[in-house]
């Protein structure tokens, strides 16, 4: 039987801005924001958990949102497994 695991992306740099600030023309880069240092640490913490048996099955495929923060999270957390990551 196949299993599906849902993982939310790590914290992005957009979290350092208010919601109002995120939707201004000068901050349009925040619409597809990269992971911040906290988000990178969160993804690496998940990676460490996966390496140490957090999942009781083999991961065959990782599918994520095409947003930068989601793809970065997927690569950091599951990239070491050598499986396909599809944005």
């Amino acid at each position: 039987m196949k299993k599906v695991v849902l993982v939310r992306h790590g914290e992005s740099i957009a979290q350092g801005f208010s919601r109002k600030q995120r939707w201004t023309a000068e901050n349009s880069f925040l619409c597809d924001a990269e992971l911040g240092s906290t988000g990178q640490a969160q993804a690496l913490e998940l990676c460490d958990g996966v390496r140490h048996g957090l999942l009781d099955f083999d991961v065959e495929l990782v599918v994520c949102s095409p947003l930068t923060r989601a793809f970065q999270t997927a690569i950091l957390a599951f990239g070491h497994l050598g499986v396909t990551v599809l944005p």
Side-chain angles (χ1 to χ4, degrees):
M1 176 169 51
K2 301 286 182 186
K3 295 183 180 185
V4 176
V5 176
L6 301 177
V7 175
R8 191 179 194 293
H9 59 76
E11 185 177 288
S12 75
I13 60 170
Q15 299 311 120
F17 296 82
S18 71
R19 285 184 185 227
K20 185 176 181 180
Q21 289 174 312
R22 290 182 219 166
W23 295 103
T24 62
E26 66 230 16
N27 291 332
S28 61
F29 69 96
L30 295 174
C31 292
D32 186 19
E34 297 181 354
L35 288 178
S37 57
T38 299
Q40 291 174 4
Q42 291 166 336
L44 292 172
E45 186 176 340
L46 176 57
C47 175
D48 190 51
V50 171
R51 285 182 194 265
H52 291 96
L54 176 67
L55 303 176
D56 62 350
F57 56 89
D58 292 332
V59 175
E60 297 176 22
L61 174 69
V62 175
V63 179
C64 68
S65 162
L67 292 174
T68 300
R69 60 189 173 268
F71 188 65
Q72 289 176 319
T73 299
I75 293 296
L76 287 171
F78 299 102
H80 69 283
L81 297 175
V83 298
T84 300
V85 177
L86 296 176

